[in-house]
Amino acid sequence: MSGAAFIAVDWGTTNRRAYRVEHGRATAAVRDSLGVLSVSGDAFPAKIEALRAELGPLPMLLAGMVGSNRGWVDARYVPAPASAADLAAGLVSPCENVFIVPGVCRDLADRPDVMRGEEVQFLGAVAEGLAPPDALLCQPGTHAKWAIMHDGKLADFTTAMTGEMFALLKDHSLIGSEMQGEGKADAEFRRGVEDSTRADLLSSLFAVRAGSVLGRRAAGTAAAYVSGLLIGTDCRARLKSGQTVYLLAEGRLARLYAIAIAMADATCIPVDSETAFIAGITRIWDALS
Amino acid sequence: MSGAAFIAVDWGTTNRRAYRVEHGRATAAVRDSLGVLSVSGDAFPAKIEALRAELGPLPMLLAGMVGSNRGWVDARYVPAPASAADLAAGLVSPCENVFIVPGVCRDLADRPDVMRGEEVQFLGAVAEGLAPPDALLCQPGTHAKWAIMHDGKLADFTTAMTGEMFALLKDHSLIGSEMQGEGKADAEFRRGVEDSTRADLLSSLFAVRAGSVLGRRAAGTAAAYVSGLLIGTDCRARLKSGQTVYLLAEGRLARLYAIAIAMADATCIPVDSETAFIAGITRIWDALS
């Protein structure tokens, strides 16, 4: 099917991006908030037809949480190391001409891990030459994903609860009321990254409260500081000095990680997530032929 | 006033313990759940009179959150290093014959910290000979307190958000639904303490979820494992191999910390909190005379 047109969908928990892909390029796109949590199980076929009405009567290849047990059908996981061909061999088809990409798992006793969706971007980034075949890639977020690529395969990976921890602290902890706004890429963020070298998150977090009580912390600075503590902790656990990280992120999160990566004496090279997705999903589609 | 009878109250956020103290011994006690959060500001004088009706018409010395800005009056903080005499010199009197013990602060830019209530136990443990004048003491809980005593003074300390983090994860995180029950002192707890040596809490927490998804984690084991991760992280940040910790705790929490301390190749010596409180509050009372 190499080169043949198809519809690729990056179908996440809360958002969805669909593309008509022809010869490896997106020639049309639909972006909306119809994530899998807002689609009931039996409504998926209708959503598929609606996408085809917009993008053309084409076969479809879906990736992301649509293949989880909260999505349309459970597309399971293939074990790392995984290539685009391995993902193609594990496709699940919920109905004619619709295929769902499996996730990737690290099924090891010492530290089990899973991803679903990010594998397409990671493999695509390397396939497209945006990162070399042996590289460390990072896609930050609620659950930050760090991928170790080897020979162009997704060889190993680590998920960190970085974004979720920020939200937990902001919404429910003793210091939450001080964490107004989003963490900005400012001096307080840098101070948090610096303090993350103490590797003592549980006491650094309490120090936010103590600093306010003692009048040492200016109002409105806690969100950036805690963001720096958490992102700094995440980066330092994954990085060695002198290493290069290929970062799949946009906007504020890209700026924050770029700072923390630089402060760990590592080099950050930005990679466009959408380009990486189109490249990765095309490789999986081509592997079907 | 040395040796003279008085009423000592350990008045916390949710609980209260009051004692009639004569010649350094508790000769009567009242324990209830009338913590400061359940007493409105102008109701304190009536609660004081009710305690006197039970324990005798005596002068009163109160410690704990009753001296916070959410308590009766703000008794402020004295800076570490602090002795019983320093606390006595900082007493605040909201009405005749009633005194409130100030908290202790670590008012330093690198890591500000505060405590309120635990300082009485720490100083009392040493004064009573339950711990030597130069020692590391720990009082675990929502905000675990680690005190470094030097020459019998509270020289320095660290607060870790250990118990609060457990509650945040249990009540609000992705892995919360798996964290049923309390963390037990079992093999899963020990495995969590072991994994805390990776010093990568953010990824170890996500691995709890991944382990369940991959069928590697038995149902009902997550609470003990996460408890081990957090308590292990707390202990390892504070302890060196071969060190001795004097532990002010009871019941399940005492067992969990004793295991984690032993697994960090340190020695744990239990100290009775109530004995330490009576000893500490008596020293402050005596210092008034």
Side-chain angles (χ1 to χ4, degrees):
Chain A
M1 294 188 237
S2 185
F6 68 102
I7 294 170
V9 188
D10 185 3
W11 207 325
T13 304
T14 53
N15 288 292
R16 188 176 72 163
R17 297 190 296 184
Y19 310 89
R20 184 171 66 231
V21 182
E22 299 175 276
H23 302 290
R25 283 162 189 258
T27 55
V30 172
R31 293 178 186 81
D32 58 34
S33 56
L34 273 178
V36 296
L37 288 188
S38 56
V39 180
S40 65
D42 51 6
F44 279 99
K47 302 298 176 197
I48 289 292
E49 287 319 306
L51 281 174
R52 280 183 170 138
E54 288 205 67
L55 297 169
L58 295 166
M60 298 183 71
L61 187 49
L62 323 178
M65 294 307 282
V66 67
S68 75
N69 56 9
R70 291 181 182 183
W72 189 358
V73 296
D74 186 345
R76 306 211 180 82
Y77 300 93
V78 299
S83 65
D86 295 330
L87 294 178
L91 291 182
V92 167
S93 180
C95 63
E96 201 180 357
N97 274 328
V98 176
F99 305 91
I100 301 181
V101 179
V104 178
C105 65
R106 183 185 196 278
D107 197 2
L108 300 174
D110 71 319
R111 184 180 53 76
D113 210 335
V114 291
M115 70 165 68
R116 191 178 288 288
E118 298 89 351
E119 66 285 350
V120 178
Q121 275 96 313
F122 291 140
L123 289 164
V126 172
E128 191 71 8
L130 304 173
D134 292 86
L136 175 65
L137 277 64
C138 172
Q139 184 164 316
T142 302
H143 299 140
K145 302 286 180 185
W146 294 78
I148 297 171
M149 310 299 292
H150 184 56
D151 275 348
K153 288 190 177 190
L154 175 52
D156 199 359
F157 64 97
T158 304
T159 306
M161 215 185 243
T162 317
E164 180 175 355
M165 184 59 75
F166 184 85
L168 282 177
L169 290 165
K170 182 169 179 169
D171 295 343
H172 302 291
S173 83
L174 177 76
I175 60 174
S177 61
E178 299 173 48
M179 290 171 63
Q180 292 313 303
E182 289 180 317
K184 278 180 275 183
D186 59 8
E188 274 299 319
F189 176 81
R190 287 172 186 274
R191 208 162 70 81
V193 175
E194 265 169 35
D195 285 357
S196 76
T197 59
R198 285 200 298 245
D200 189 6
L201 195 56
L202 295 174
S203 80
S204 295
L205 290 171
F206 187 82
V208 172
R209 172 67 177 165
S212 299
V213 166
L214 297 174
R216 284 190 168 274
R217 168 165 298 288
T221 62
Y225 178 76
V226 172
S227 179
L229 271 181
L230 293 173
I231 292 176
T233 297
D234 187 10
C235 290
R236 281 169 202 280
R238 245 59 65 191
L239 284 174
K240 289 184 186 126
S241 174
Q243 215 169 355
T244 297
V245 184
Y246 295 83
L247 186 68
L248 290 84
E250 280 79 43
R252 195 178 54 84
L253 210 51
R255 288 194 293 279
L256 297 178
Y257 268 78
I259 292 170
I261 289 166
M263 288 177 71
D265 294 321
T267 301
C268 176
I269 298 184
V271 171
D272 184 73
S273 305
E274 194 164 292
T275 306
F277 177 76
I278 300 295
I281 203 85
T282 300
R283 291 313 182 287
I284 297 167
W285 184 251
D286 289 350
L288 275 179
S289 57
Chain B
M1 296 187 236
S2 184
F6 68 101
I7 294 170
V9 188
D10 184 2
W11 206 326
T13 305
T14 52
N15 288 292
R16 188 177 70 163
R17 298 191 294 187
Y19 310 89
R20 184 172 65 231
V21 181
E22 299 175 273
H23 303 289
R25 284 163 188 256
T27 54
V30 172
R31 293 177 186 81
D32 58 36
S33 55
L34 273 179
V36 295
L37 289 188
S38 56
V39 180
S40 65
D42 51 5
F44 279 98
K47 302 298 177 198
I48 289 292
E49 287 318 306
L51 281 175
R52 279 181 171 139
E54 288 204 66
L55 296 170
L58 296 166
M60 296 182 73
L61 187 50
L62 323 177
M65 295 305 283
V66 67
S68 75
N69 56 10
R70 292 182 182 181
W72 188 359
V73 296
D74 186 346
R76 304 209 182 82
Y77 300 93
V78 300
S83 64
D86 295 330
L87 294 178
L91 291 182
V92 168
S93 181
C95 63
E96 199 180 359
N97 272 329
V98 177
F99 306 92
I100 301 181
V101 179
V104 178
C105 65
R106 183 185 196 278
D107 197 3
L108 301 174
D110 72 320
R111 185 180 53 75
D113 209 335
V114 290
M115 70 166 68
R116 190 178 289 287
E118 299 88 351
E119 66 284 350
V120 178
Q121 274 97 314
F122 291 140
L123 289 164
V126 171
E128 192 72 8
L130 305 173
D134 293 86
L136 176 65
L137 277 64
C138 172
Q139 184 163 317
T142 302
H143 299 140
K145 302 286 180 185
W146 293 78
I148 297 171
M149 310 300 291
H150 184 58
D151 274 348
K153 287 191 178 189
L154 175 52
D156 199 359
F157 64 96
T158 303
T159 306
M161 215 185 242
T162 317
E164 180 175 354
M165 184 61 75
F166 184 85
L168 282 177
L169 291 165
K170 181 169 180 170
D171 295 343
H172 302 290
S173 84
L174 177 76
I175 59 174
S177 61
E178 300 173 47
M179 290 171 63
Q180 292 315 302
E182 289 180 318
K184 278 180 274 181
D186 60 8
E188 274 300 318
F189 176 80
R190 286 172 187 272
R191 207 163 72 79
V193 175
E194 265 168 34
D195 285 356
S196 77
T197 59
R198 284 201 299 247
D200 188 8
L201 195 56
L202 295 173
S203 79
S204 296
L205 290 171
F206 187 82
V208 173
R209 173 67 177 163
S212 300
V213 167
L214 297 174
R216 283 190 168 274
R217 169 166 297 288
T221 62
Y225 178 76
V226 172
S227 179
L229 272 180
L230 294 172
I231 292 175
T233 298
D234 187 11
C235 289
R236 281 168 203 280
R238 245 58 65 192
L239 284 175
K240 288 185 188 127
S241 173
Q243 215 168 355
T244 297
V245 184
Y246 295 83
L247 186 69
L248 291 85
E250 280 80 42
R252 195 178 53 86
L253 210 51
R255 287 192 295 279
L256 296 177
Y257 268 78
I259 292 171
I261 289 166
M263 287 177 71
D265 293 321
T267 301
C268 177
I269 298 184
V271 172
D272 183 73
S273 304
E274 193 163 294
T275 305
F277 177 77
I278 299 295
I281 203 84
T282 299
R283 291 314 183 289
I284 297 167
W285 185 251
D286 288 350
L288 275 178
S289 57

